[in-house]
């Protein structure tokens, strides 16, 4: 079972590295001396200034990277997802789980802030005291963030804080008592 979780964690880290290269502007572009022509200040401002759209209807995609913390049960995890998708790994003292969800979601993005939420069904695997079981249910989360960076490509990076709940097997009793706090970054592509 540990090999399964290590493989899932390695896949998650690989996806994170690929997304970071795409969103943060790392590429294999060739630089030539023909591009190093001196320009006037006015030309440089016009050609290099990249301003993201100011309304949420203009963004192409967003990707979340989050650390999830459940202080009551001492379960900690890492998740990655988009506007509608979620992939998470959680680890505790005697428990570990991997889950994937896909559902409804969206975000309201301005020049300085983001507000986003997701509601999705999920499936996964859990290991508790050396017993593995299939997980399913519904989950929801909401988060708010503040812009901390604009990439070379004009994408926006937000520092986000949020709260997520889940209803295993659609059981909603004590759903909010077992929620988890999340802190992370959201990259919005324009």
């Amino acid at each position: 079972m540990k090999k399964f979780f290590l493989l899932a964690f390695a896949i998650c880290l690989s996806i994170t590295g690929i997304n970071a290269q795409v969103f943060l502007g790392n590429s294999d572009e060739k630089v030539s001396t023909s591009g190093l022509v001196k320009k006037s200040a006015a030309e440089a401002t016009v050609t290099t200034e990249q301003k993201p759209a100011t309304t949420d209807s203009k963004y192409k995609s967003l990707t979340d990277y989050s650390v999830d913390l459940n202080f009551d049960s001492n379960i900690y995890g890492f998740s990655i997802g988009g506007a509608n998708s979620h992939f998470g790994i959680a680890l505790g003292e005697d428990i570990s789980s991997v889950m994937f969800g896909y559902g409804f979601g969206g975000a309201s993005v301005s020049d300085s802030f983001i507000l986003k939420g997701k509601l999705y069904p999920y499936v996964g695997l859990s290991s508790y005291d050396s017993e593995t079981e299939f997980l399913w249910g519904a989950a929801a989360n909401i988060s708010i963030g503040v812009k901390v960076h604009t990439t070379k490509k004009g994408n926006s990076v937000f520092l986000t804080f949020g709260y997520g709940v889940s209803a295993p097997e659609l059981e909603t009793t004590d759903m909010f008592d077992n929620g988890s706090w999340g802190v992370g970054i959201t990259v919005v592509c324009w």
Side-chain angles (χ1 to χ4, degrees):
M1 191 65 190
K2 286 183 181 181
K3 288 182 181 180
F4 173 75
F5 289 110
L6 289 175
L7 176 63
F9 187 68
I11 290 169
C12 188
L13 287 178
S14 297
I15 292 169
T16 302
I18 291 167
N19 283 334
Q21 287 179 334
V22 171
F23 292 128
L24 298 179
N26 294 343
S27 67
D28 295 325
E29 295 175 355
K30 302 282 185 205
V31 177
S32 65
T33 56
S34 63
L36 302 175
V37 178
K38 186 175 181 178
K39 297 180 181 180
S40 69
E43 287 176 327
T45 303
V46 171
T47 58
T48 61
E49 186 177 302
Q50 295 177 348
K51 186 172 181 179
T54 58
T55 64
D56 56 335
S57 63
K58 301 282 185 182
Y59 74 89
K60 294 178 185 173
S61 66
L62 63 85
T63 303
D64 297 318
Y65 305 92
S66 177
V67 175
D68 305 313
L69 312 165
N70 184 326
F71 298 108
D72 295 332
S73 60
N74 293 322
I75 297 175
Y76 309 98
F78 175 77
S79 61
I80 182 172
N84 302 320
S85 61
H86 177 88
F87 175 77
I89 298 173
L91 301 169
E93 191 172 308
D94 295 327
I95 190 168
S96 57
S97 66
V98 174
M99 67 182 242
F100 174 76
Y102 191 86
F104 306 101
S108 178
V109 183
S110 72
D111 283 337
S112 302
F113 299 100
I114 187 170
L115 175 65
K116 58 188 174 65
K118 280 190 266 194
L119 174 64
Y120 53 92
Y122 68 85
V123 294
L125 290 174
S126 175
S127 174
Y128 182 72
D129 285 336
S130 301
E131 292 186 27
T132 302
E133 68 178 84
F134 178 73
L135 298 175
W136 69 275
N141 59 43
I142 188 166
S143 60
I144 189 167
V146 62
K147 186 175 175 179
V148 293
H149 181 66
T150 301
T151 67
K152 293 177 186 177
K153 293 184 176 184
N155 298 326
S156 301
V157 179
F158 293 87
L159 177 63
T160 57
F161 300 93
Y163 190 73
V165 295
S166 64
E169 299 180 10
L170 303 180
E171 178 62 45
T172 58
T173 307
D174 299 326
M175 184 170 65
F176 289 96
D177 293 338
N178 296 316
S180 62
W181 294 97
V183 61
I185 62 168
T186 297
V187 179
V188 178
C189 291
W190 298 101

